[in-house]
């Protein structure tokens, strides 16, 4: 099974409530393809001659897709713009920002086995009925794509130098060529801050290496110079991975092995249920699982046991999650639904694939609430139609949704 062969194979439309009445907040729709959300926001800011930070949005959308989402600007102009890769349409002036409810997806599944493809409709019905575990998919883990660990874990262990090294000197094949070269150079010359400064390619890199030239050994201070949204992303990535691991362990404790299937992702393996037993269905639909933080308390014994196991495996204790100090990143606790249940799920007709000779294709459509990953739905469909075999190929790792 392949997805995202073409941008138009993966269509995302943000669902949002637009405030009634009038006001000073300009609301727009942004349609884009082939560029990241952050690049699109920067283009809008340039076109309106405004600081980038005033262009607000509810979430990031995939680059290799056709996506529509809402933007808003306090006091923004009643103008529309169109340029390569994006079209911005002014909607109205309102008293408040739009409120995102989630996203509608239309995804073309390609390279389907002719024997497996007829099972897709039944698999879609099963996913609509029982959902999927509400994991964070690979998009969440771009900051750890080098495969050498999480910045967030090093922060918890107060290993400031290793945290900084992971952020600046561990290249990934997913990075741009220029960034890979810079990071390789930083890795070779780590500790030679003058040489690292000369090779800096961003303002943040220059600030960090300049700081280390003046205050050698102060790695916690240098870490604070990373933009706060990026520091938060590092912490959230590790917290999200722990959540995934805890939920996988929870499912393996709660269900027989023949009810479970595993799919690969950037953080390892995710376990999916074939179905939810009738005696658990109502409870699991209401159930939430906390993202772990210093003061997290567990209401469910199975979740508590799962977190105990993963913390032991990671050689951590919950006390390690205590905030380290002023302006240093930490993890905030929140609840996340155990299950992700798609709405308005349907699978289209099976057709010959025009891109893969002798193979089939189909279109699936569904809606998800905020924070849900469409690729999880695709992963479970693949497991269902292949009777547990893993294998969904994406053209490239998606951007955080």
């Amino acid at each position: 099974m392949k997805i995202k062969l073409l941008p138009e194979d993966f269509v995302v439309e943000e669902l949002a409530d637009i405030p009634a009445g009038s006001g000073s907040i300009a609301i727009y729709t942004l349609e884009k393809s082939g560029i990241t959300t952050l690049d699109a926001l920067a283009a809008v800011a340039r076109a309106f001659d405004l600081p980038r930070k005033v262009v607000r949005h509810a979430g990031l959308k995939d680059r290799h897709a056709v996506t529509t989402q809402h933007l808003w600007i306090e006091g923004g102009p009643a103008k529309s713009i169109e340029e390569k890769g994006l079209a911005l349409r002014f909607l109205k002036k309102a008293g408040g920002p739009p409120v995102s409810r989630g996203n509608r997806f239309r995804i073309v599944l390609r390279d389907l086995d002719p024997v497996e493809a007829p099972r897709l409709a039944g698999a879609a019905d099963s996913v609509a009925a029982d959902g999927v575990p509400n994991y964070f998919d690979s998009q969440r883990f771009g900051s750890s794509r080098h495969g050498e660990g999480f910045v967030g874990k090093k922060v918890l262990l107060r290993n400031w130098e290793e945290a900084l090294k992971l952020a600046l000197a561990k290249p990934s094949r997913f990075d741009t060529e220029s960034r890979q070269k810079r990071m390789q150079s930083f890795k070779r010359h780590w500790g030679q801050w003058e040489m690292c400064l000369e090779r800096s390619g961003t303002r943040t890199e220059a600030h960090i290496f300049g700081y280390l030239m003046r205050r050698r050994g102060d790695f916690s201070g240098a870490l604070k110079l990373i933009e706060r949204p990026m520091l938060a992303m590092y912490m959230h990535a590790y917290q999200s991975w722990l959540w995934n691991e805890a939920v996988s362990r929870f499912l393996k404790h709660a269900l027989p092995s023949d009810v479970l299937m595993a799919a690969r992702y950037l953080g390892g393996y995710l376990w999916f249920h074939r179905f939810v037993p009738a005696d658990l269905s109502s409870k699991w639909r209401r159930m939430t699982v906390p993202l772990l933080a210093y003061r997290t308390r567990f209401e469910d014994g199975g979740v508590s046991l799962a977190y105990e196991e993963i913390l032991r495996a990671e050689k951590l204790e919950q006390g390690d999650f205590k905030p380290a100090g002023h302006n240093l990143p930490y993890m905030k606790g929140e609840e996340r639904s155990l299950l992700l249940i798609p709405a308005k799920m349907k699978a289209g007709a099976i057709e010959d694939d025009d891109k893969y000779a002798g193979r089939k294709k189909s279109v699936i459509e569904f809606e998800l609430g905020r924070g849900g990953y469409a690729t999880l739905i695709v992963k479970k469909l693949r497991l269902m139609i292949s009777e547990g075999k893993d294998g969904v190929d994406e053209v490239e790792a998606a951007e955080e949704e």
Side-chain angles (χ1 to χ4, degrees), residues 245-247 249-250 252-254 298-313:
E245 289 294 302
V247 168
R249 289 167 185 261
F250 171 82
K252 286 192 281 186
H253 288 319
F298 301 101
E299 296 183 1
D300 184 273
V303 171
S304 178
L305 175 62
Y307 266 122
E308 286 176 14
E309 290 179 353
I310 186 58
L311 286 178
R312 188 161 54 248

Side-chain angles (χ1 to χ4, degrees), residues 285-297:
R285 280 175 171 266
R286 300 189 310 270
M287 185 173 171
T288 61
V289 176
L291 281 96
L292 190 60
Y294 176 54
R295 298 188 183 279
T296 298
R297 296 292 179 266

Side-chain angles (χ1 to χ4, degrees), residues 69-121:
Q69 65 191 111
H70 295 83
L71 307 182
W72 65 94
I73 303 172
E74 174 72 43
K79 294 180 180 179
S80 299
I81 60 174
E82 192 161 345
E83 56 183 74
K84 184 178 180 181
L86 69 86
L88 186 79
R89 301 279 182 260
F90 172 74
L91 289 182
K92 64 174 292 186
K93 291 283 187 90
V99 179
S100 177
R101 293 183 284 108
N103 296 284
R104 179 181 294 120
F105 296 89
R106 181 184 183 277
I107 302 172
V108 180
L109 307 179
R110 294 185 178 275
D111 195 24
L112 299 176
D113 186 300
V115 175
E116 296 174 354
R119 303 170 187 159
L120 185 62

Side-chain angles (χ1 to χ4, degrees), residues 30-36 39-40 43-44 46 81-88:
L30 170 70
E31 181 176 322
K32 67 176 186 64
S33 180
I35 62 173
T36 68
D39 286 341
V44 171
R46 286 194 302 270
I81 60 174
E82 192 161 345
E83 56 183 74
K84 184 178 180 181
L86 69 86
L88 186 79

